[in-house]
Every structure is written in structure tokens, then in C-alpha cells.
Amino acid sequence: MASTSSTWRRNQQRLAPWLFLAPGIAMFLIYVIIPIFQSMAISLYQWDGLGEKVWVGLGNYVELFDDEAFYTSLKNNLIWLVLYLLAIPAGLFVALFLNQTVRGIRIYKSLFFFPFVISQVVVGLVFSWFYDPNNGLLNLGLMALGFDPIPVLADEKWVTYGIIAAGLWPQTAYCMILYLTGLNAVDPEQIEAARLDNARGLRMLWYVVLPQLKPATFIAMVVTVIGALRSFDLISIMTDGGPWGSSRVLAFYMYEQAFSEYGFRMGYGAAIAVVLFAIMMVYISGFLWKMYRDEKGR
Amino acid sequence: MFHSSKTLGAILASTMLATSAFAGELVINTDTSDPAPKKAFQELIDGFQAENPDIHVTWNLFDHEGYKTSIRNFLTADAPDIANWYAGNRMLPYVSAGLFEPVDDVWDQNGLHDSLASAEGSMTIDGHIWGVPYTYYQWGVYYRKDIFEANGIDVPKTWDEFLAAGKKLKEAGVTPITIGTKYLWTAAGVFDYLDLRTNGYDFHMALTKGEIPWTDDRVRAVFAHWKEMLDAGFFIDNHAAWSWQEALAPMVQGKAAMYVMGNFAVAPLREAGLTDDQLGFFQFPVINPDVPLAEEAPTDTVHIPANAKNKEDAKKFLAYIARADVQTKINQTLGQLPINKDSQVGDDKFLQAGYQMLSSTTGGIAQFFDRDAPAEMAKAGMEGFQEFMVKPERLDAILERLEKVRQRVYK
């Protein structure tokens, strides 16, 4: 007893952090790290989730690189990544607009934040109705202006853009709230000083306000990129991947192959997941590297 | 989503008596969450309880869509004693994984080979019978009788008459056929009928079993007929944006006159205000007169999971649901057709029409594209059908893609 307690006392400083970290590490291992390797393992098999696993080596990947649907999904993923970033300037704009003291401004702020609070499923439904070829607001508007109606969600050219537009609505609200909190922290003295130096408008924004908003921009960037890569619910609700699979992204394709009504190709789904993971990894490494650099710089 | 029909007392009793080895407890899982099927199963279970007071039924009602995923879990992990599912290729994965119990003895002891003869083929895999069918429904063309009459159109019996009818409707400013292909399967209904009428039942089954290349000329002939319909502007625009329910609206509004559908479309059409004088049904017209008429009639079934705890009572339940009087009753509530040949068909005019049509069918009864073909082929096929309906010029690319899938799926 005495010896154990003295061992404990001697190593307390070194052990304590690990003990505190242990629950978190265990969770992270069980729910994140181990499944990553399991997915990689499953991607080398052909498996319907019920019967025997059949070893196919890299067969799933070979098939994947010969699969039109995979390239469609990959292309859509890129479109998502690029266009989804529009949420950041849009959010900044709304935040600047709302960053004033007018009577009832809190109500306006809440209203602008509202789309982020409601479920993505609801957002998807609302936009499906908005795009409805016969009775949707969009097409009623187009027809009133003398244009032909565009069946956004039934046209392979428009469908991905249509869904991204729906996704931008809540995402803009999210970026807005990030920037609003950021703006609260902007140093009024610096603004004052800049004003004395005759800075205003865009120059003020660019040289004085934005640099102070850098942490907010960074977080907005992170959540938006991740949001773009895991875009799933809107696609599922608005088009179910259609028409003829032209609005799929990798995450949706993976779900479709592995878990949907006509899927249950676990190996193939896992292979898609691994590719998606590799893409995310590029981004995550960059993110981690930047974090590391910032920490060191401090 | 999850609902147990029995009282708290029953649940308490079952937990107190431990989970296993409680003879007389029968667990039933179903996906019958829509109003009519839910009511039908409630009546069915009440009826079974009344006749077997010693058996305790616990009924778990699942959401219709969620069930498709849940069934895989509960068949392996925590099997009920009865689960409902579908006939044909749809049950193949569970049969080959050894998750369903063969029930040949139930069929032998209750004379089901005779009374359920029409569905025996679709319940048989590897020489065994894997469940009991309790209902099916016809597919065909539902149409606006009043619009047909107003434009002097008779019910088309042949392909030429069908095209002519469409032409007349177009001239009257009515789109001939409404369809919503967002969830793909509706397009498969059209494909199935075109194939059944062009090449016949045997060819259709061979195609869905993967024995015929998709690039075959006979398959192309099917798409050629489909193209005739597309060229004549038969289908509503923008159908890829709508579910089948949303596509009912043009028909109710009189903007479209026909719908190639299953009998389940009647209830929502009636609810939307169409009377039986406005709504009619006809058999899909003849394309090749040399081909015997085959129909599409998906069958719903109940099965005993291989891991069930109380197979003895489960078999009693199967025997019960196979009985003529029980099938009469459940199908009256469902608004569908009984399988048992001694059952009474409800006097609803669409049920009668379906019954007449199916009982005189000589060519064979198909389940449906996504039940006859394996899941992967079905998905790729239906996506191809949807694409073809919007972009018919891509036919070659579509067929080649389907052929590639076929070669992989049916190895």
C-alpha cells in the first residue's frame, strides 16, 4: 500500500494529464480512429452486410475509378466546396449590415439567424417548393418576367447549383453569427484612430476591421468547408441524388451504395468513404499545420 | 415510429417472465405504418388473439421507409417471430443469408399449395417456400373517364389505339400521361409493361435475372416503343421533380388523363375528389398480339425469421393469415386483392377490375422491376429509365452502362 501510494506520488505530475485525457482518448479511438481503419479494411472486401465477406483486394477501387457516378459525385463535391464558400462573404455582409444599434435590432438578428436554427430537412422542403416547376415562387416569378420556367431540381445542369443555393441560406446565417460575435470584439479605439486618419468605407473594412476578424474568418472557413464536404441531408430531401444521379456528392453516393434501399454494398461504400477521407485529409492536414504554426508563433 | 399495441401489463408480464422461453408470446414486426395497412394489421392481430387467447401478441410497428434498414438488423440481432416483407427477388438476400425459415410444412399441412397456388412461384427459392403471401394489387392504366368521354375516346385496346388516344388528348390540350419519377420506381412500371407487352413474361423474367444483355435488340425494341410515346409528348414535363403523389395533381386537375400505376393510387385520387364516374381503369394495351398478356402484381408476404424464438406459434399465425376468410377481411381493409382463391374480393370497382384481369391472366404475373431484378440492377436500371425519359438521345450510353452493371451484378 505504501509503495503504491509513493509510486503514485512520484509520478503524479506525469500521470494526471493522461488520466484526465483517458475518457476522451478512449471515445475518440472507439468512435473515430478505429472505424477509419475498419472502413479501410472493409473497402477491400465485397460484403452485403449479412453474408460472408469476400476478399477482392483493390477491386472496389478499380471499379470506382471506372464508375461514371463516382466522377459525377466528385465533380459535384468540388462545385460544393467552391460555391459553399460564398457563405463567408455573404455572412460578413449581413453581419456588417446588422452591426448597428437600431430599435429592435435583436429581432432582425434573430430573423436572419432563423434559417440556421430550423432543420436542414425543412430547408430542403421549403426550397423544393420554391423551385417547383408549376407552382414554385421562382418559376412564377420567371414566368411573370416572361421567361420560360426552369425545373431546377429536374434538370441536370441546374440541380447542384439549386441545392447549393438552398444550403447557402442556413450557412450564411451561421457565418453571420460568427462575424457578429467577432465584430463585438473589434477594438473601438483602433476604429477611432483609423477614422482620424481618414479611413472609411472599404478601406476601413479591409485594413482595420477584417484583420481583427481573422479568428472569425478562420472558424467560418473551417465550418463551411466541412459543411460542404458532408452535404447530405439537402440532397437526400430535395432530389434523392437525382435526376439520374446527377446531384450526388461522395457522401451521398457512399450512403446510397452502403445503406440505402437498393444498396448494401458495404465494401464499395467503404471504398468511397476512404476516398472522401483522403480528400478531407488534405484539408485537415492543412488546418492542423496552420494551428501548429499559430501555436508556435505565440 | 415505434409502437407496441399491448398494454403495460403485458409488457410487465413478459419482462418478469424473462425474455426467452416464454411460450405463447408472439412478436410481430411490420412496416404497415400507412393508415389502411395499419388498421388491417390491427384487425388481423385482434382476430388472431380472439382465436388463440393463450398466445400473447406483441406488435412492433415500424415506419415504412425505416423498416427497410431495420429488418437487416433485427433479423440478425433480435429476431421477432413474424416479419412482413415482399415476394420474389426482394427476399433473396435474406433467404441466401439463412435469415428466413423455410415454411414448406405450413404449406403442406394447410393445403396452401392449392389455395395460394398463384403465388407459389414467387415464394419459392431453391425448392423451398419461404413465407406466406397475404395480399397483392394490380398495376395498369388509371384514367379520367370523363375526359376520355368528352373527347370521344374509347378505351384503347391496342398500341395504335393507345397512341391515337394520346394524340386526341394532346389536341384537346390534355397531357396523356402523368408520372412523377423523382423516386425512380414509377418509370420502372412503364418499362415493365412495355417489355411485358413487347417481349412477354419469359423474356422479362430472363432480363431481370440477368440472362439477356441490355444491348439486345429486343430490349431496344422496348425503348423504341417508349420513344414513340416520348416523341408524341405523352408524359408531363418536369416529371423528374415530382414524387408519385405530387404527380397525382395534374390528373385531379384534369391537365393529364392517365397514370400507369398500382391500385394504391385509387385511394388518394378519391380523396382528392375524383368520383368513380370520373375515374376508370384499363389493362395496359396490347403491343405485340403474339405475346400472351402478362400483368404486374406485387405481392406482400409474412415470414418467420430463422432466429425466431416462438416458431410454433408463428406457424399458427401463418396458417391463420393464409385462411380464405382472413384474407377476405384484411384485403377489404387494405383495398387490395387476396391471394387465397377462396377469398371474396371486395365489391369496389377497381378491385373487381383487377381481380377479373389477374384471374384471367395467362402470360404470367411479374412482381415489379425492383422486386424481380436484384437491388443493384434495379437501381441502375430505374435511373437509366428516368434519364431516357428526359434525354432519349442518350439511349446507347444508358444501355451500355446498364450492360456493364449487369455483367458485374450477375457474376
Side-chain angles (χ1 to χ4, degrees):
Chain A
M1 192 61 206
S3 74
T4 49
S5 77
S6 71
T7 324
W8 168 242
R9 210 162 288 155
R10 252 183 290 123
N11 296 311
Q12 198 177 10
Q13 289 280 325
R14 273 191 300 130
L15 285 179
W18 289 107
L19 284 177
F20 279 114
L21 280 174
I25 290 179
M27 289 286 187
F28 196 64
L29 277 177
I30 293 171
Y31 292 110
V32 180
I33 304 295
I34 295 172
I36 290 175
F37 289 101
Q38 281 177 324
S39 295
M40 289 179 181
I42 292 174
S43 74
L44 304 175
Y45 290 90
Q46 195 174 48
W47 185 39
D48 67 355
L50 289 176
E52 287 294 297
K53 287 187 202 167
V54 183
W55 173 265
V56 290
L58 292 176
N60 284 324
Y61 293 94
V62 173
E63 190 193 325
L64 197 60
F65 290 115
D66 187 35
D67 184 348
E68 285 172 47
F70 169 68
Y71 290 105
T72 312
S73 317
L74 197 61
K75 193 188 92 192
N76 285 337
N77 250 134
L78 290 178
I79 300 177
W80 267 90
L81 259 181
V82 174
L83 292 185
Y84 216 47
L85 291 178
L86 287 177
I88 298 173
L92 176 65
F93 178 79
V94 179
L96 289 171
F97 176 65
L98 290 179
N99 191 40
Q100 46 186 316
T101 35
V102 186
R103 201 180 142 78
I105 189 72
R106 283 186 189 194
I107 293 179
Y108 301 126
K109 283 182 185 169
S110 334
L111 285 177
F112 272 94
F113 190 57
F114 184 66
F116 185 71
V117 180
I118 55 180
S119 148
Q120 293 263 306
V121 175
V122 178
V123 173
L125 276 178
V126 168
F127 269 82
S128 312
W129 293 329
F130 175 66
Y131 291 139
D132 184 284
N134 284 359
N135 307 310
L137 199 56
L138 173 75
N139 286 311
L140 291 180
L142 282 176
M143 282 189 276
L145 294 173
F147 293 102
D148 282 336
I150 303 172
V152 177
L153 296 183
D155 186 319
E156 56 183 359
K157 287 201 300 288
W158 292 103
V159 63
T160 297
Y161 302 104
I163 301 173
I164 295 173
L168 280 176
W169 190 42
Q171 191 66 26
T172 301
Y174 192 17
C175 292
M176 177 204 78
I177 214 79
L178 290 172
Y179 277 122
L180 273 178
T181 45
L183 283 169
N184 275 337
V186 166
D187 187 356
E189 285 176 18
Q190 286 189 31
I191 305 279
E192 193 74 4
R195 207 164 269 160
L196 287 176
D197 287 342
N198 214 12
R200 63 168 78 90
L202 277 181
R203 286 168 65 90
M204 169 82 114
L205 176 68
W206 188 254
Y207 291 107
V208 181
V209 178
L210 266 190
Q212 296 191 61
L213 287 176
K214 213 174 144 205
T217 310
F218 182 62
I219 295 294
M221 187 87 180
V222 171
V223 294
T224 307
V225 170
I226 291 177
L229 285 174
R230 43 176 248 187
S231 48
F232 172 86
D233 16 22
L234 286 176
I235 298 171
S236 175
I237 287 296
M238 292 173 73
T239 62
D240 206 28
W244 52 93
S246 46
S247 63
R248 284 188 192 115
V249 294
L250 287 175
F252 187 80
Y253 192 40
M254 170 188 77
Y255 162 81
E256 220 175 45
Q257 289 293 326
F259 306 111
S260 77
E261 187 180 353
Y262 300 109
F264 298 116
R265 298 183 67 204
M266 298 298 173
Y268 198 59
I272 301 169
V274 169
V275 172
L276 185 59
F277 175 69
I279 297 172
M280 284 206 181
M281 210 52 209
V282 173
Y283 166 73
I284 293 169
S285 325
F287 170 68
L288 288 178
W289 184 69
K290 189 192 166 351
M291 289 253 287
Y292 176 72
R293 219 182 37 178
D294 288 359
E295 298 260 305
K296 249 177 92 178
R298 227 163 259 169
Chain B
M1 180 156 173
F2 192 82
H3 153 102
S4 174
S5 71
K6 285 293 116 197
T7 57
L8 188 66
I11 297 164
L12 279 177
S14 70
T15 44
M16 278 191 292
L17 287 164
T19 44
S20 61
F22 174 35
E25 154 126 45
L26 186 71
V27 182
I28 301 178
N29 286 9
T30 72
D31 67 344
T32 47
S33 55
D34 291 332
K38 187 174 163 186
K39 182 156 172 261
F41 258 82
Q42 185 67 61
E43 289 171 5
L44 179 79
I45 288 168
D46 290 346
F48 180 72
Q49 287 262 245
E51 284 184 29
N52 300 278
D54 53 325
I55 300 176
H56 228 53
V57 178
T58 306
W59 177 30
N60 301 320
L61 182 61
F62 287 69
D63 163 71
H64 185 71
E65 294 299 320
Y67 189 80
K68 291 166 186 164
T69 329
S70 322
I71 187 171
R72 298 172 65 91
N73 297 333
F74 67 61
L75 284 183
T76 39
D78 183 21
D81 303 307
I82 297 277
N84 76 326
W85 197 237
Y86 313 103
N89 225 316
R90 224 36 198 317
M91 64 177 181
L92 182 63
Y94 306 116
V95 171
S96 27
L99 292 174
F100 279 164
E101 180 89 357
V103 291
D104 304 70
D105 51 343
V106 178
W107 282 62
D108 294 339
Q109 286 156 19
N110 297 286
L112 305 185
H113 296 290
D114 176 47
S115 58
L116 305 181
S118 63
E120 190 173 339
S122 59
M123 297 307 299
T124 308
I125 293 175
D126 295 337
H128 289 290
I129 300 173
W130 299 93
V132 167
Y134 62 91
T135 185
Y136 71 147
Y137 51 90
Q138 80 269 20
W139 271 66
V141 185
Y142 292 83
Y143 74 109
R144 282 289 297 267
K145 220 158 119 185
D146 51 341
I147 298 181
F148 269 51
E149 276 159 13
N151 293 292
I153 304 169
D154 292 329
V155 167
K157 295 256 186 270
T158 67
W159 185 244
D160 289 337
E161 286 172 21
F162 188 53
L163 291 179
K167 200 168 167 226
K168 268 193 190 166
L169 287 168
K170 285 292 275 186
E171 280 161 8
V174 177
T175 311
I177 297 181
T178 183
I179 188 168
T181 60
K182 181 172 171 187
Y183 295 103
L184 307 175
W185 53 269
T186 45
V190 178
F191 173 81
D192 279 357
Y193 263 112
L194 288 170
D195 193 30
L196 289 171
R197 292 288 183 268
T198 310
N199 297 309
Y201 177 80
D202 293 335
F203 179 90
H204 186 66
M205 285 297 127
L207 181 71
T208 49
K209 284 201 183 85
E211 290 155 12
I212 290 163
W214 280 89
T215 44
D216 192 289
D217 279 343
R218 289 167 294 180
V219 179
R220 282 179 189 281
V222 176
F223 284 96
H225 286 305
W226 206 339
K227 182 108 192 319
E228 285 178 61
M229 295 167 82
L230 295 173
D231 288 344
F234 256 58
F235 297 97
I236 56 166
D237 293 334
N238 308 326
H239 51 76
W242 285 310
S243 67
W244 76 267
Q245 292 100 330
E246 288 168 305
L248 292 167
M251 185 148 163
V252 175
Q253 294 157 359
K255 292 179 188 161
M258 294 183 271
Y259 205 166
V260 180
M261 253 298 147
N263 199 52
F264 50 83
V266 170
L269 283 171
R270 280 186 181 145
E271 271 165 34
L274 293 184
T275 64
D276 282 7
D277 294 330
Q278 290 173 298
L279 197 58
F281 170 82
F282 65 83
Q283 194 171 19
F284 199 89
V286 177
I287 296 178
N288 180 352
D290 301 332
V291 170
L293 290 180
E295 303 301 333
E296 189 131 275
T299 308
D300 293 351
T301 54
V302 285
H303 305 266
I304 304 180
N307 301 329
K309 294 182 192 80
N310 188 359
K311 289 179 187 168
E312 200 184 318
D313 288 336
K315 285 179 178 172
K316 269 190 208 163
F317 187 81
L318 289 198
Y320 176 77
I321 200 176
R323 247 167 45 193
D325 57 321
V326 176
Q327 293 212 347
T328 302
K329 189 152 176 267
I330 185 170
N331 281 292
Q332 254 158 16
T333 314
L334 283 171
Q336 295 183 4
L337 297 166
I339 309 273
N340 193 310
K341 69 179 173 55
D342 303 320
S343 293
Q344 305 291 312
V345 177
D347 48 11
D348 176 87
K349 84 168 185 177
F350 295 100
L351 284 184
Q352 286 293 341
Y355 179 70
Q356 302 281 323
M357 181 175 88
L358 291 174
S359 54
S360 61
T361 293
T362 51
I365 290 186
Q367 288 298 317
F368 194 73
F369 188 76
D370 72 352
R371 297 188 189 185
D372 290 324
E376 245 183 280
M377 188 70 245
K379 170 84 181 173
M382 298 190 306
E383 229 167 69
F385 302 154
Q386 188 201 34
E387 186 170 359
F388 172 76
M389 286 183 73
V390 183
K391 307 270 180 192
E393 69 277 7
R394 293 191 193 157
L395 178 63
D396 289 327
I398 294 170
L399 291 181
E400 266 158 40
R401 193 171 71 221
L402 294 190
E403 176 58 16
K404 205 162 99 183
V405 175
R406 180 188 77 95
Q407 286 179 2
R408 194 186 65 233
V409 172
Y410 304 90
K411 264 197 289 249

